[in-house]
Amino acid sequence: MSNQMYPIFEPFNSDYLPVSTTHHLYFEEVGHPFGLPVLFLHGGPGGGITTHCRRFFDPTFYRAILFDQRGS
């Protein structure tokens, strides 16, 4: 297993997914739009996703979907 981190890159898509009348999940998709999909969940309330989280995934191979429940 490699300890390589990939360069910071911007999402190709991001939005809010309504899960109730008052709660929304922020998500962003990074990497290759047709790459192997992988779902990234942060550690829980008080955690969150940052640009650093994108660096775990090879952007030429993966389509990473990162979720973040804002305000929890």
Side-chain angles (χ1 to χ4, degrees):
M1 182 171 185
S2 172
N3 290 330
Q4 177 180 1
M5 297 291 284
Y6 296 93
I8 293 175
F9 48 93
E10 294 301 312
F12 64 84
N13 184 34
S14 64
D15 204 347
Y16 289 87
L17 177 68
V19 294
S20 74
T21 57
T22 57
H23 293 92
H24 295 80
L25 292 175
Y26 171 78
F27 72 91
E28 56 188 39
E29 296 178 271
V30 298
H32 192 290
F34 301 105
L36 185 66
V38 61
L39 181 62
F40 179 87
L41 304 172
H42 65 76
I49 58 171
T50 66
T51 55
H52 177 76
C53 299
R54 300 174 195 160
R55 299 183 65 207
F56 292 116
F57 307 101
D58 180 347
T60 65
F61 187 78
Y62 291 104
R63 172 186 168 211
I65 304 153
L66 296 84
F67 279 98
D68 189 358
Q69 185 176 0
R70 302 271 165 110
S72 64

